Amino acid sequence: MAKGDIMKKVFKMEDLDCANCAAKMESAISKIEGVNSAKISFIMQKLTIDLDETREKEIMDEAVKICKKIEPDCRIVR
Amino acid sequence: MAKLSRRQKKNLARIIISLALFFAILIPDKILDLSSVIGGGYGWVLPFALYLIVYVIIGYDVLWRAVRNIAHGQVFDENFLMCVATLGAFGLAVYLGATGQKAEGFDEACAVLIFYQVGEFFQNYATEKSRKSISSLMDIRPDYANVIRNGEVVTADPAEVAVGETIVVNAGEKIPLDGTVIKGETNIDTRALTGESLPREAKEGETVISGTLNLTSRIEVRVEKAFYDSTVTKILDLVENASASKSKAENFITKFARVYTPIIVFSALALALIPSFITGDWQTWIYRALSFLVVSCPCALVISVPLSFFAGLGAASSHGILIKGSNYLEKMNKANIFVFDKTGTLTKGNFAVTAAFPEEREEEILRLANIAENGSGHPIAKSIAAKYGKPAEDGYSLTNVAGEGVIAEKEGEKIFCGNEKLMKRAGAECAKPEGVGTVVYVARNGEFIGSLLIADEIKEETAEVIKELNASGAKTFMLTGDNEEIAKSVALKAGLSGYKASLLPQDKVGEVEKMFREKSQKDVLCFVGDGINDAPVLTRADVGVAMGGVGSDAAIEAADVVLMKDDLRGIAKCKKVAKKTMRIVSENIIFSLAVKAAILILSAVGIANMWIAVFGDVGVAFIAILNAMRVGKSKD
């Protein structure tokens, strides 16, 4: 399977209130296929994600779904 | 109190209203016993209805979130557990009332929920406050630049200004871009970048950097670096990404939090069921189990740890120390092997003439040497020129002899200025001077005139900092390319534990590798250098510290910690901040775990009721967060 370019992208998050939820989201998003690593800084309200650039849209769609499931009030700003 | 957002204001209003209503109902209840107002076995309905109003006002969002999250498949979150605990208490009270016993517990259920919301509010507030304080560091971002275009001063976005353009910075304005002063003279406040309280002078020909504040007079600056390349952008990037690296403590907390909640829930279940089967007194045991659920959220712990690190990083940056991640704060705390680069780090790196031999002929030696070194940009030439103070006679033709020195010739006069090899070439017998340093011999027309001793001055603070580090139990080493004698003298003066001299740049990495093999697992090696050719070593060390990072790209890239000021005391300060941060982190962890454990035990045996449980939980979070913010307060 051809590997696309691994790019680091940073997204701002809004209304991230629960540090526990941030941790859960971080580990769930890391498991998405095409994601090398994901880090959520609860304090800076930022998602830093190392992903396969060619599949960015699907990966981010999945990430938003995960985010909504864990903390529905929270949004990833795209 | 800081400004609150709309959401926060709404929550605060709800808390106040519920508290007011709560006490309005509680006081009559305690005096009159509301459950006895209506007779006929339905006495419990009155308190139930009244307390229910309070409950709904303060808890509707918790209930809603619990339901919604379950629908999304997220069952065991704190909303659900709080609901179970408080609805359980409510239910228990209704059961008691309906079966003719005293209907007790409505007030507790409400109190629990109110306390919980207070806790949540405070956690949110404290986190926002910390976030805002770090973004006040973002204040160094310049919003505009005054560019001179077509003879007019135009306001532009700093990102749009090109290298080579001239900008005007008036008194009181932020300098938006890195550049050179081409007109004017002023004083600059570098505090935002370096923590330095004394203003710095900037004259024509000197460089100024973006993010600093122009204090006194208007200056015109030629832009040397584009905005995306400028110091201020680099620093902002560094600060923004700093909290991305997680420390061991944070990772531990995350893992812990994951197992903590399920463990508490199952313990609660066990506590509710098992003793009930044995004793049959299931009311008591269910009640105790509900108290368990109340302390089941590890939030205090999970928030206070990153908050402490965050405050530590912020405290460091206010002193001009940029740390790239909380893990480096952790490592810095444990750092006990310090390896220093010599030139530019322990020493000033600016060479100065310290002595002339023979002393009586100093003036002449300097004059001749200056002629030979005229125009050379070499630090040694500069030091000679500085010491002599007067311009050199010209008219001499200068020939550079590689590895030996310079020969200056004019009308039959031949001046030789260089090392022993050059003296041999000149046919002069040179006398080696006393003292340590680089020696420059001067001969004229075959006659040996004298020599100059040029040394690299040790910084004033070096000895003091090394002493402090050694006193804390650390070992201090120096690696240098200079010769053995110079290295030994510096090592002695500074008080170092050891040194290695005559190293080629690539040898330095080898030496550090050797130290790694020889050190134990617990030792942490910190390398301090000025970055320009220390990049591989900075990367290899456990903590790489680059000094005088202002403007040096290689330093900022390779290092883990950047000292904005060219001052070794920054290392001691960094270690202090690291120590304080780690101490507060462990205080918070131990305190939170201990109190929670105590509450669990007391609830299980029935000494603590739900009031105490939630009060303790909120109290712990409160104290942990306040403690975390304490990191930022340092007296120096």
Side-chain angles (χ1 to χ4, degrees), chain B residues 335-625:
Chain B
N336 57 354
I337 302 178
F338 289 90
V339 182
F340 296 89
D341 173 44
K342 178 181 96 54
T343 312
T345 304
L346 293 177
T347 64
K348 291 189 187 165
N350 62 356
F351 293 98
V353 176
T354 53
F357 298 92
E359 267 184 73
E360 320 83 70
R361 297 183 88 174
E362 178 174 328
E363 179 80 19
E364 194 187 342
I365 303 172
L366 278 171
R367 181 182 73 86
L368 296 172
N370 197 24
I371 292 174
E373 299 284 354
N374 191 17
S376 164
H378 194 277
I380 291 187
K382 283 203 191 139
S383 63
I384 295 177
K387 185 81 180 203
Y388 186 56
K390 294 186 268 232
E393 267 177 58
D394 44 36
Y396 286 81
S397 72
L398 304 173
T399 319
N400 190 28
V401 182
E404 294 183 19
V406 179
I407 304 177
E409 277 191 76
K410 179 165 116 172
E411 296 160 3
E413 183 187 6
K414 230 173 170 182
I415 306 176
F416 294 79
C417 175
N419 60 18
E420 289 158 339
K421 290 197 207 121
L422 195 72
M423 290 300 105
K424 228 188 191 156
R425 188 187 283 268
E429 269 223 35
C430 55
K432 192 151 190 293
E434 291 247 333
V436 178
T438 309
V439 183
V440 173
Y441 297 101
V442 178
R444 181 155 155 275
N445 292 343
E447 182 203 338
F448 178 65
I449 308 288
S451 59
L452 294 169
L453 201 57
I454 301 183
D456 188 6
E457 287 180 83
I458 294 190
K459 293 183 183 168
E460 292 103 32
E461 71 266 15
T462 300
E464 162 198 334
V465 173
I466 300 291
K467 188 157 146 204
E468 209 178 310
L469 289 173
N470 285 340
S472 74
K475 293 232 170 11
T476 49
F477 293 97
M478 175 179 77
L479 297 180
T480 177
D482 267 342
N483 64 39
E484 179 73 24
E485 253 186 69
I486 298 181
K488 190 153 158 200
S489 144
V490 172
L492 276 170
K493 281 209 204 109
L496 295 162
S497 316
Y499 68 92
K500 261 265 158 45
S502 307
L503 294 172
L504 293 169
Q506 56 262 39
D507 294 338
K508 283 192 187 159
V509 188
E511 283 301 317
V512 172
E513 287 285 352
K514 209 158 66 172
M515 287 185 189
F516 263 100
R517 284 195 294 272
E518 290 169 4
K519 78 173 176 79
S520 75
Q521 270 278 25
K522 292 190 299 122
D523 294 329
V524 174
L525 192 146
C526 171
F527 178 78
V528 185
D530 61 354
I532 303 180
N533 50 12
D534 291 326
V537 197
L538 282 170
T539 327
R540 186 66 188 88
D542 287 320
V543 183
V545 180
M547 283 198 48
V550 177
S552 173
D553 301 359
I556 298 184
E557 271 308 308
D560 306 312
V561 176
V562 178
L563 300 182
M564 299 299 291
K565 266 196 289 189
D566 210 10
D567 188 339
L568 276 174
R569 282 180 285 237
I571 299 193
K573 174 127 309 149
C574 187
K575 204 150 192 315
K576 273 207 202 95
V577 172
K579 227 185 180 132
K580 190 166 184 195
T581 307
M582 290 315 295
R583 203 185 59 223
I584 290 185
V585 167
S586 28
E587 278 174 8
N588 278 346
I589 294 181
I590 295 176
F591 176 67
S592 307
L593 290 180
V595 173
K596 282 221 194 289
I599 294 180
L600 286 173
I601 295 174
L602 293 178
S603 302
V605 299
I607 298 179
N609 58 16
M610 237 188 260
W611 276 96
I612 299 183
V614 77
F615 191 72
D617 206 48
V618 170
V620 166
F622 194 86
I623 295 177
I625 292 180

Side-chain angles (χ1 to χ4, degrees), chain B residues 71-137:
Chain B
H72 285 157
Q74 273 273 51
V75 178
F76 287 114
D77 67 348
E78 53 171 346
N79 295 299
F80 175 69
L81 296 169
M82 282 310 292
C83 281
V84 171
T86 50
L87 287 176
F90 238 88
L92 215 63
V94 171
Y95 172 77
L96 286 173
T99 55
Q101 300 166 67
K102 190 159 185 340
E104 268 187 337
F106 295 119
D107 52 351
E108 261 178 283
C110 287
V112 163
L113 216 47
I114 295 178
F115 271 135
Y116 171 74
Q117 292 286 46
V118 169
E120 288 294 290
F121 176 80
F122 183 70
Q123 271 178 19
N124 186 274
Y125 174 72
T127 315
E128 268 306 303
K129 195 147 180 254
S130 285
R131 283 191 189 133
K132 285 210 183 91
S133 79
I134 204 73
S135 52
S136 71
L137 185 66

